[in-house]
Amino acid sequence: MTRLILQSPLSGWCLPLAEVPDPVFAERMAGDGVAIDPTGNVLHAPCDGVIVPMQGAKHALTLRAHCGHEILMHVGIDTVQLGGEGFEPLVQPGQAVTVGQALLRVDLDLIARRARSTVTPILLTSGGRVLRRSEHCALAAGDFLMEVEMDAAAAPDPSHSAPAGSGLSRFFDVAFDHGLHARPSALIAAALRPLDAQVTVIAGGRGGNARSTVALMSLGIHCGDRIEFRATGRDAGKAMVALEALLGPAGDTGATTSGEPADPVAAKQIESRDQVRRVAAVVACSGIAIGHATQLTHAEIVVAERGTGISDEMAALDQAIAQVKAHLEGMAGGVEGGGEQQTILSAHIELIQDPEIAARAGEHIQRGKSAGFAWRRSLRSVVDTLQASGDLRMMERVADLRDLENQVVQVLSGRPPGHARTLPERAILIADELLPSQLMSLDANCIVGICTARGGPTSHVAIIAAAMGIPALVAAGPQVLGIADGTLLVLNAEHGHVDIAPSDSERVAIEQDLAGRAAQHAADLLAAQQVAMTRDQRHIKVYANLGALAEAAPAVAKGAEGCGLLRSEFLFLDRRLPPDEDEQAHEYQAIAVALGSRPLTVRTLDIGGDKPIAYLPLPREDNPALGLRGLRTSLWQPQLLRTQLCAILRVQPAGQCRILLPMVTDVGDVRVVRALLAELRTEMALAELPALGVMIETPASALLADQLAREVDFLSIGSNDLSQYTLAMDRGHPELAARLDALHPAVLRLIGRAADAGNAQHKEVAVCGGLGSDPLAIPILIGLGVHEVSAVPAMIPRIKRVIRSLDTRACAALAQQALELPDAAAVRALVERWRAAQPPAPAPATHESSQTISGE
Ligand code: PEP
Ligand code: MG
């Protein structure tokens, strides 16, 4: 391990990278570090070292410290296009320099006028960790900037040469306007870094490490240059796929540098992808689509840094905010069916009025900055705080803030709010990260799929995609950003991958499959209003999970026999004060009416942990998922629970509502709530109390389900949290998303135990977590003794069809086999095989009087 102190190379304001107006730097794709908004015009050496030659790149300078660290100083943003104008080098490539030595004179005025920003990222491009850094403070050149540490083994080899031995080789014609400057270099390096491969780029007879941004930049590769990449190692094939995705098709493919490929498996993968290339991703909204790649790069709008006067800029900002707010309100009013989209728009309306964000922007304007610059910087500092929280759900809210940043800056630049681009037919949207307003402003009829390079499965955009019924993949990595517009894609949001340019025969097969699915869906919808009976005449109730009033009527139209889970959080999140009893009662009543006389299961507030709310100052927790969550939060703030219970008890007719308690550990939790309900019954002079149930979503509650079942009226299994806590995998973790599967036998054993306990007490046992919406899981759940599922409304018709095809005794035998398997993949494989051997579902019975769902 070597440590190094870096001094500030410039005088100016030091800011975190997240505030740099360029995603490649802001997302640390080019390396970790800090940025300086310079006031001084001479760049100094941050430490002793040697100047790394960077052909034709006067706007950026790399210093290699004696310990091997490489420090890239990129003066301004988009300064490559100045072609060296405004920069006067004071040192030569290869020259040894000492700390503090003047390296480069910069014409700051020219850069401020002609480039996007003067902000200068100072980056550690050779890996390593930043141990301490300055941020949000004024610095003079020579002040402490950061302390960095690097594993000696990670130090780049300055004499990097082509990998020895055999490997893969591809030639590419560089199509980036300014050649391989910082941004494309960083994208390439970031795509290759996670792979187990040595990759060398060869240009003009010189070689460099393709996993290093600096090495790529230093080769001075121009637009139109033909360059070669050579790769060896286990992931050599994957490296070539990633490069093709970023650089376009290889000019001369398939050649190996010598003899056999380094990795025959990797080479085979490439060969089989001569026709189809596949990029893996995380499923955010299930489904399959075929369509044309439509890149939605939202080029950042350039804003002037300097303002034209404090009062003018303040007025301009206020006006722009008001305009965007009015636009958002208009959209919220016009959203068909409301639901999630309306909830998200309401959250945006709240956020845009946030006094803290406005105050921070005001401070920047007071310091002479323009309205756009001030707004952007203010939001980015909030983004930075969210990102620093390390909380994945909070980090997913970053997209909402970026969205508001863009919308206001767009208005300030003279464009109307919500200005959207026209899409081709059957568009598969590809974006680094899709912003909620972007998606909502596009013509949904043209969108058949979504694939983002970043983002998580619980981001708002994923929720909107689900509400719109659009299959979506997230976290596909930067390689998808290189797919050319118009390329035919098959987006498989069931198995989590995108196939690029499928062959004709594959296209035809997918189209036939989709046509078959559409016909099946239409048939399922026709039968959806009838109850789902198994072959052996067991009625399995299919309820809907709801998150807003607007979802209730459409759920009934899809065949919901009631609501098995109303996530009441929707009333509490993204606002400054909690809803009072009247507001809640009004909302629950409206949902009850929309459901006709069907049961409405209101889950009490499930916040805290990963769903913090502003007006509840929850204590900081090291492990929020294991802290004050769900019922624990309610019991910690009993007034909140009392108000909510009063509101539920007011819903008419009495008996339509059921009360469901989240995150229960043991009977102690139930008894406290029972006592409170008894008190309210007297106070409100009620003849009877609604049914009370508990969520089984902690391993403790599953193991103690026999005790719980004696004290409550029903059990509802929350498979999402039950898997998270049983498998010890964060449900929001994108890296673990593929393994967090509730069909894991460990989770199934707990479900089976809870179901047995409920059945022994003749209490209803339901599943309301994601497993209830998974057609493959239904036979297992029924086999384990579950007789009610609560699913996302869109899945209800299909779930009912699956139920009609089942026999409970055969399901029980299948479930017993599943419990003995080693992992979730084996369970899925078992059910797939079993299902293929089952006879098709009989047509639903036509004696509608006895079979249709009761209610209006
Ligand atoms: C669950 O955990 O399965 C559940 C239904 O609750 P939520 O997803 O709202 O945490
Ligand atoms: Mg839960």
Side-chain angles (χ1 to χ4, degrees), residues 393 545 565 567 569 603 606 610-611 629 660 662-663 695-697 716-725 731 767-771 790:
R393 290 226 183 169
N545 289 349
L565 170 66
R567 289 184 164 103
E569 299 82 85
R603 181 174 72 183
D606 183 13
D610 58 349
K611 300 178 210 162
R629 248 205 81 177
L660 180 59
M663 281 295 287
M695 300 273 297
I696 301 292
E697 49 186 352
S716 187
I717 297 164
S719 55
N720 306 336
D721 277 314
L722 189 59
S723 325
Q724 149 162 277
Y725 295 121
R731 62 189 274 186
V767 168
C768 65
L771 218 48
S790 195

Side-chain angles (χ1 to χ4, degrees), residues 125 200 250 275 449 522 524 581 604 608 617 642 693 710 758 805:
T125 49
T200 295
Q275 304 269 314
D524 291 349
E581 185 186 315
T604 60
R642 179 175 251 277
R710 280 196 284 274
S805 71

